[in-house]
Amino acid sequence: MHAVLEQYGACSGGSRNISGHNRFAISLKKTLAKQHCKPAALYFGSGYNANDCALTVLGSQLPDCVFLSDASNHASIIEGIRHSRAKKHSGTNRRDLRDIAQKYGAITFLDEVHAVGLYGPHGVGVAEHLDFEAHVSGNTNRTIVDRIDILSGALGKGFGTMGGYITGSASLIDMIRSLSCCFIFTTAPPPATMAGAQTAIEFQRENPHDRMQLQRHVRAVKDRLRLHGLPVLPHRSHIVPLMVGDASKCKAAADILFDEFDIYVQPINSPSVAVGQERLRISPTAAHTQSHQDRLVEALVQIWDRLGLDRLERWRTEADGSVREGWEDMDTLEPVWTVGQLGISVAGGPEEGRVYSNFSKKAYRMPAAGHLEDTRMGW
């Protein structure tokens, strides 16, 4: 990025249809399409724009288009559908959605913004991860990635740069490129950003160690917080949502963490979540060590006592003693990354003795001694 910045400057100079189109945009587009096993891709300034622009065009241009979209989808998806003025029906939480779409000739759109770079043997996302063995072996025909028509992602999360994108068939991508106002009339991201994004994708594709290390740390943080009775919302991803349930106390907890413990954790309040569902969003990384985790857990235990916040059992249990909806699977819900995929063999577990050996050998290539602390913590 430094080399490109010095040669081309900090601005692209215009939209992609004029001076903003350059060899870095072309190269990044090819890398994104290859990453998702699709013929074409289109790069935007953000993941929000990618979803909003793509769905606006699809809904306004496809005759009699009707969207089936879950009510809890990201605001960019909700706004894209609204901007298209197409009809919408809520409720799509079905495992056989791809089969239904194929039967009725529908287009499937999958948002992988929070998953790219963090899931799958090549960092393609959850769709790749659910067919883990097939993608390790290179046999991607009829996989979920192959059957989804349009996949969207972002480069400002798991890839650590900036921008968003969609991938799909050449005809769909060309339609969106040709008709999307927020693509046509927006200044393109700088060449240095595009070059950095491509390098990040290529690095993560060939170096899965960081995302595997991240998943080990997530397991450890969740387990330790629950051990202290702190209310970690059950779910399968790498994000650790710690329930607070009050907007002012949520902000106060985050402020104490930052001001007194030098720990930055995001307070998530309405409208991002419903009122009463306020939470701290903890994001472990591959670089966090055992001492970092010790300090975080100790700080949170103190804060929960100081602010009088509800503990795990209060969140999990209704007034009549029954288990609250959403907390039923707390003891059985398995992470997306299995112990076998992480190279961990657990006696008596569902993958006892099973390790994805070819992938694991590649994944455990560690940096040279002294360059980076090994934070595997005994896994």
Side-chain angles (χ1 to χ4, degrees):
M1 291 182 71
H2 283 287
V4 176
L5 178 63
E6 290 178 2
Q7 184 172 359
Y8 293 92
C11 180
S12 63
S15 72
R16 285 283 300 281
N17 286 345
I18 47 177
S19 60
H21 188 66
N22 50 61
R23 65 186 180 92
F24 301 102
I26 295 171
S27 184
L28 176 58
K29 175 183 67 174
K30 292 178 179 177
T31 298
L32 290 168
K34 177 183 176 182
Q35 177 78 342
H36 290 276
C37 306
K38 299 297 181 187
L42 194 62
Y43 176 62
F44 293 83
S46 72
Y48 189 104
N49 282 345
N51 283 342
D52 186 6
C53 298
L55 294 171
T56 297
V57 172
L58 289 173
S60 61
Q61 297 300 315
L62 298 177
D64 302 317
C65 179
V66 177
F67 285 102
L68 300 179
S69 176
D70 194 88
S72 61
N73 275 333
H74 191 266
S76 59
I77 295 176
I78 294 172
E79 287 301 294
I81 293 172
R82 186 176 68 85
H83 291 154
S84 76
R85 300 183 179 179
K87 294 180 179 179
K88 180 181 80 72
H89 295 291
S90 297
T92 60
N93 188 19
R94 298 185 55 151
R95 293 181 181 274
D96 59 347
L97 188 59
R98 297 182 309 280
D99 296 327
I100 295 174
Q102 186 173 2
K103 179 179 179 180
Y104 292 100
I107 291 175
T108 49
F109 186 105
L110 178 62
D111 179 351
E112 291 267 43
V113 163
H114 283 274
V116 290
L118 301 175
Y119 293 88
H122 305 103
V124 176
V126 171
E128 181 193 40
H129 203 105
L130 295 178
D131 291 308
F132 197 95
E133 293 178 84
H135 285 277
V136 169
S137 66
N139 181 21
T140 61
N141 187 40
R142 301 299 297 167
T143 59
I144 297 173
V145 170
D146 183 48
R147 297 177 65 191
I148 296 293
D149 295 295
I150 300 177
L151 294 107
S152 71
L155 299 163
K157 298 184 185 297
F159 291 120
T161 51
M162 185 178 179
Y165 62 89
I166 56 172
T167 64
S169 69
S171 56
L172 282 174
I173 297 301
D174 189 56
M175 179 178 72
I176 295 167
R177 179 192 62 79
S178 301
L179 298 174
S180 172
C181 289
C182 60
F183 176 82
I184 295 170
F185 299 107
T186 298
T187 300
T193 301
M194 298 186 196
Q198 178 177 339
T199 301
I201 295 167
E202 293 170 345
F203 178 85
Q204 286 291 356
R205 183 173 183 84
E206 298 300 323
N207 296 274
H209 171 266
D210 284 347
R211 56 182 169 272
M212 294 172 70
Q213 188 77 310
L214 162 66
Q215 295 294 333
R216 297 188 192 96
H217 290 183
V218 169
R219 284 172 175 257
V221 170
K222 286 182 178 180
D223 288 346
R224 295 185 64 187
L225 291 174
R226 287 179 179 140
L227 185 65
H228 286 275
L230 298 184
V232 178
L233 183 69
H235 71 119
R236 303 180 66 196
S237 89
H238 59 282
I239 296 171
V240 183
L242 195 58
M243 304 304 292
V244 177
D246 180 276
S248 61
K249 289 183 178 180
C250 190
K251 183 180 183 302
D255 288 344
I256 294 170
L257 278 170
F258 189 79
D259 295 336
E260 299 182 21
F261 296 93
D262 295 325
I263 298 173
Y264 172 66
V265 169
Q266 299 167 342
I268 306 298
N269 296 325
S270 175
S272 298
V273 295
V275 174
Q277 296 295 307
E278 294 84 0
R279 64 199 66 180
L280 297 178
R281 179 182 290 170
I282 302 170
S283 302
T285 72
H288 283 128
T289 64
Q290 180 75 59
S291 61
H292 291 141
Q293 293 188 28
D294 292 341
R295 184 169 175 78
L296 171 67
V297 173
E298 290 168 4
L300 288 170
V301 169
Q302 291 182 37
I303 291 169
W304 245 248
D305 289 337
R306 188 192 307 184
L307 298 180
L309 301 176
D310 286 343
R311 298 249 174 182
L312 178 59
E313 281 308 307
R314 289 288 299 273
W315 274 97
R316 190 184 186 191
T317 310
E318 297 281 10
D320 61 2
S322 61
V323 177
R324 184 173 294 176
E325 183 180 0
W327 295 79
E328 309 94 329
D329 301 326
M330 189 181 77
D331 298 323
T332 59
L333 197 62
E334 290 293 325
V336 176
W337 277 89
T338 69
V339 292
Q341 292 161 359
L342 290 173
I344 307 166
S345 182
V346 179
E351 294 189 291
E352 180 177 359
R354 182 183 184 188
V355 176
Y356 295 78
S357 57
N358 291 336
F359 177 73
S360 296
K361 287 177 182 176
K362 177 181 180 180
Y364 284 115
R365 291 185 304 188
M366 296 294 295
H371 288 190
L372 180 66
E373 179 182 358
D374 183 356
T375 60
R376 283 177 288 182
M377 299 186 304
W379 282 103

